[in-house]
Amino acid sequence: MSYLSLVSEFEQVFTKPEWTKNGIQAYPSNFSPTDERPMEYIVLEVLPNSPLMNQFGGERQVAGLFIAQIYIPAEKGSRRVFEISDFLDDVLHTQMLQYTIQTASSSLAVKGNDSQNPALFRADYSVSFNSY
Amino acid sequence: MANISAIGAGIYTSLAFIDLPVVEGTGTSGQDVGVGDTPAQWAANFEIRPVPTPDAEGAFVPWNAVDDARAFGRVREFPNIGIPANVINVPQYGQATSSQITGQSDPPSMDFTFNYVPTQHFFIDTLRAEGTRRIFRVRLANGEQVVATGGGENESGGTDPVGTSGVNLPYEKENDSGGSEMREFSDFYFFGSVASFEIVPALTDSNQLNVSLTIDGQLEGPFSYTPQAVVTNPPTYEKPTI
């Protein structure tokens, strides 16, 4: 398991029909698209910040947090945030991803109007994971 | 000297056994393992070192795993390796403090925990059900060793038979004076059998397997290879000396 493979494994989730059928654009963090962003999208963050040492042999194992920042138009209510979170649950809640990642139960933190762009409303969907 | 000579965490410690019957006296190579064999003969059941062709400094010296060597793999916790004390207090009439003597030690049950993968650990329950006696090797290693591939060429350039995947082999490289250097490890051997096999499903971490091994006799070790001045000469397998 490499750090790059971790990110790739999460990103691949958002290229599959189970996600793309929802029509919600997913961007990696620290990325500025050339086209204007839609008024509803998510930004993906992978935080592999907790090393696991639960096996002899030196195999790299890590635990961490995956966060999807959910953006929807402001002043339209928060219901859509919960709906998108359910879409995310369908592909990320307690899942074995393609190779090494196992995700746990998810949670949602509603942040309110985005400080960078007040026209957007933000919530953070997060799920912890282990990569064995 | 390739026995461990400095403090360190045993991150690369491994457990392996030979899937051959154990006999009293001396064994026959490839057929059984003798309790009376030398440690070098025990080691030769796990790994062999073909006579290498001298190469450049830094080149691997190839080691091959041997047919019946088997690795347990994915060890999560090791037990105390050794024989526990059995201290008996002896009352002394007329003295304020009793004395102590060392009694006959009870053989320990060695409880190992594994990150359970059924396709990898199924053989352990077979060993338990058969109750067969085997020779086990704990290789205490702080640094990374060569790992047998189980059917193909390993990192050292040696060739491993099918079924030996995960067996730790010495990490030996040629030096600039025509000899070789080896990453340190210390081997401990014991004869015993698998006494228990218990699976523990987990919610937030990997599933686990608890296995107890019983020891029959003494624990022997620490042994390791001492490379010779000339790389084509086989290393000696011995305990540390003063």
Side-chain angles (χ1 to χ4, degrees):
Chain A
M1 185 279 294
S2 65
Y3 288 113
L4 187 60
S5 70
L6 273 180
V7 175
S8 300
E9 206 165 324
F10 273 110
E11 287 178 348
Q12 281 174 14
V13 169
F14 297 92
T15 64
K16 293 179 178 170
E18 290 85 352
W19 174 258
T20 56
K21 70 181 181 186
N22 300 316
I24 298 168
Q25 187 67 43
Y27 297 103
S29 60
N30 189 32
F31 176 76
S32 298
T34 49
D35 300 333
E36 191 177 346
R37 292 188 190 218
M39 286 301 286
E40 183 179 279
Y41 61 94
I42 63 173
V43 175
L44 313 180
E45 281 184 287
V46 181
L47 307 174
N49 55 1
S50 181
L52 285 178
M53 282 290 274
N54 68 2
Q55 184 171 298
F56 287 83
E59 201 168 314
R60 186 203 296 272
Q61 299 184 342
V62 70
L65 196 64
F66 171 84
I67 299 173
Q69 301 168 9
I70 302 170
Y71 294 95
I72 62 169
E75 313 299 338
K76 296 282 178 70
S78 60
R79 192 177 180 85
R80 179 64 175 162
V81 160
F82 294 92
E83 192 176 15
I84 293 173
S85 298
D86 285 337
F87 296 155
L88 287 164
D89 257 2
D90 289 343
V91 294
L92 286 174
H93 172 78
T94 58
Q95 297 287 313
M96 288 294 298
L97 301 190
Q98 193 170 6
Y99 299 113
T100 66
I101 295 174
Q102 183 174 31
T103 59
S105 198
S106 67
S107 62
L108 183 66
V110 176
K111 300 285 189 181
N113 281 17
D114 183 36
S115 56
Q116 302 293 316
N117 182 355
L120 294 174
F121 185 83
R122 175 182 167 180
D124 283 357
Y125 169 96
S126 58
V127 62
S128 59
F129 68 86
N130 289 338
S131 177
Y132 298 113
Chain B
M1 185 173 74
N3 246 307
I4 295 174
S5 60
I7 62 170
I11 293 172
Y12 291 92
T13 302
S14 61
L15 175 67
F17 75 106
I18 297 299
D19 200 13
L20 287 175
V22 172
V23 295
E24 298 300 329
T26 55
T28 305
S29 177
Q31 293 181 25
D32 46 40
V33 179
V35 175
D37 288 346
T38 64
Q41 287 171 309
W42 293 337
N45 287 293
F46 287 93
E47 66 227 353
I48 55 170
R49 179 187 190 262
V51 178
T53 305
D55 202 341
E57 179 190 0
F60 265 113
V61 176
W63 284 80
N64 303 343
V66 178
D67 267 346
D68 296 294
R70 300 283 182 269
F72 277 79
R74 301 192 182 283
V75 181
R76 185 182 177 98
E77 288 177 25
F78 278 90
N80 295 348
I81 309 286
I83 305 296
N86 186 11
V87 176
I88 299 169
N89 291 333
V90 181
Q92 298 286 318
Y93 184 76
Q95 293 187 9
T97 308
S98 63
S99 299
Q100 290 185 323
I101 60 170
T102 303
Q104 185 180 30
S105 291
D106 295 325
S109 289
M110 303 179 76
D111 301 323
F112 292 81
T113 305
F114 300 89
N115 288 325
Y116 182 49
V117 178
T119 54
Q120 192 171 356
H121 295 122
F122 67 95
F123 70 90
I124 301 176
D125 196 43
T126 307
L127 286 177
R128 183 204 57 79
E130 292 172 351
T132 44
R133 191 178 174 207
R134 294 284 185 261
I135 185 170
F136 295 89
R137 179 186 77 181
V138 173
R139 174 161 283 177
L140 185 68
N142 302 343
E144 188 172 8
Q145 306 293 311
V146 173
V147 179
T149 55
E153 187 175 297
N154 61 44
E155 183 187 11
S156 75
T159 307
D160 305 318
V162 172
T164 59
S165 175
V167 174
N168 271 16
L169 308 173
Y171 186 106
E172 183 182 10
K173 286 189 168 181
E174 294 189 34
N175 62 21
D176 60 353
S177 57
S180 65
E181 290 168 7
M182 196 178 282
R183 281 193 183 161
E184 294 181 339
F185 62 81
S186 295
D187 289 344
F188 298 86
Y189 294 93
F190 59 94
F191 292 91
S193 53
V194 176
S196 73
F197 182 93
E198 299 171 292
I199 299 160
V200 186
L203 267 179
T204 57
D205 201 345
S206 61
N207 298 322
Q208 292 177 36
L209 170 66
N210 297 331
V211 172
S212 293
L213 302 182
T214 57
I215 285 188
D216 180 10
Q218 289 278 348
L219 187 89
E220 300 278 353
F223 299 101
S224 193
Y225 296 97
T226 303
Q228 303 300 299
V230 179
V231 71
T232 49
N233 292 340
T236 54
Y237 193 67
E238 58 194 359
K239 280 187 176 180
T241 52
I242 296 172

